[in-house]
Amino acid sequence: MKRLLLFAMMCVSISFVSAQKKFDKVSKVTSSEIRWWGYKVVKTEASSHSGTVKLKSGKFNFDKTVLVDGEFIIDMRSIMAGDVSDEDQIKLTNDLKSTNFFEVKKFPIAKFHLTKIIPLANSEYNSTVYGDVTIKGVRKTITFPANVYVTQFTVVVESAKFSLNRRDFKVFYQSSLKDYFIKNEMDIQFKVSTEKLDNDNRVPVKKKK
């Protein structure tokens, strides 16, 4: 009897989890741009590097017309330095992909799970975005300001420039003095949209009732 009851409870739990994963509408990201900045100990324009990384896939999940969450996969193999040229660009890009930093052969993707959007008033950005980011297998919960626009199933998210601590994700030179000359903070800024950006038809995300 106890085994039968336990089995029944497991079935109910599985059904509940499966039901949670079903959404009435999924809107896929069709436009994206992700930029990064890294800095030496002296944080000046001359001692910083910047570049891009590409979104592999992204989607927003809806329950009826309510935005529930978002799921994004970043292609770490696409990371590139963009502020240097020719030989230096190749050298820096290869360094970023190596075991010194993002180790893209072992960790080819990073993830971001957008879990919550809280509207803001009287601010440069209309929302605070909450979510979980996973880099090199390490997951951390983060928040950052953003302009978020939702019109039916169309979503636009334009983040402010925000910082991540690279050491939280084991992104550093192993046993090298070079690492002491690099700031722990790396900056990220991104834009994602489910369709072409249209500045004239954007509606800020509304607070759930």
Side-chain angles (χ1 to χ4, degrees):
M1 185 66 181
K2 288 183 178 179
R3 289 183 179 179
L4 182 61
L5 181 60
L6 180 61
F7 178 75
M9 290 175 65
M10 288 176 63
C11 289
V12 171
S13 298
I14 292 171
S15 298
F16 180 70
V17 171
S18 298
Q20 281 185 317
K21 291 184 178 180
K22 291 181 180 179
F23 298 100
D24 293 322
K25 175 70 175 179
V26 175
S27 289
K28 293 184 178 180
V29 171
T30 59
S31 175
S32 63
E33 179 184 347
I34 308 172
R35 296 192 57 80
W36 60 264
W37 290 263
Y39 308 96
K40 293 182 181 178
V41 172
V42 180
K43 188 173 178 179
T44 66
E45 186 176 349
S47 64
S48 66
H49 287 298
S50 64
T52 59
V53 64
K54 293 181 180 179
L55 188 72
K56 186 174 183 180
S57 64
K59 63 180 181 179
F60 294 94
N61 298 311
F62 287 82
D63 180 9
K64 295 181 180 178
T65 58
V66 177
L67 177 61
V68 177
D69 65 0
E71 301 171 37
F72 309 92
I73 305 296
I74 298 96
D75 182 4
M76 296 305 297
R77 294 169 297 186
S78 70
I79 193 166
M80 181 176 292
D83 64 324
V84 287
S85 58
D86 302 333
E87 188 175 334
D88 288 335
Q89 183 185 45
I90 295 172
K91 184 178 178 180
L92 179 54
T93 296
N94 287 340
D95 203 21
L96 291 169
K97 293 180 178 182
S98 74
T99 55
N100 291 331
F101 288 100
F102 292 100
E103 205 171 350
V104 300
K105 286 186 178 180
K106 186 176 180 180
F107 303 100
I109 62 171
K111 299 178 182 180
F112 177 60
H113 179 203
L114 188 158
T115 57
K116 185 167 56 174
I117 299 170
I118 303 297
L120 292 175
N122 303 319
S123 176
E124 180 182 357
Y125 294 91
N126 65 29
S127 303
T128 299
V129 174
Y130 293 73
D132 299 318
V133 62
T134 303
I135 301 173
K136 295 185 71 172
V138 179
R139 186 177 68 180
K140 295 287 183 181
T141 298
I142 63 172
T143 65
F144 53 84
N147 280 321
V148 181
Y149 306 93
V150 180
T151 308
Q152 291 184 336
F153 301 114
T154 298
V155 184
V156 178
V157 179
E158 300 177 332
S159 82
K161 186 186 287 189
F162 62 94
S163 296
L164 298 177
N165 189 319
R166 63 187 177 89
R167 285 189 164 271
D168 286 345
F169 304 95
K170 302 178 182 179
V171 178
F172 53 83
Y173 278 100
Q174 300 289 337
S175 303
S176 173
L177 287 174
K178 291 182 180 180
D179 197 66
Y180 292 99
F181 295 97
I182 304 172
K183 274 190 169 287
N184 290 335
E185 294 77 19
M186 56 182 184
D187 288 344
I188 307 291
Q189 188 171 30
F190 70 87
K191 299 178 183 179
V192 294
S193 173
T194 57
E195 62 179 34
K196 281 189 175 181
L197 300 182
D198 183 349
N199 290 321
D200 296 325
N201 295 305
R202 296 186 181 186
V203 179
V205 64
K206 294 180 180 179
K207 186 177 290 187
K208 296 178 184 178
K209 294 181 180 180

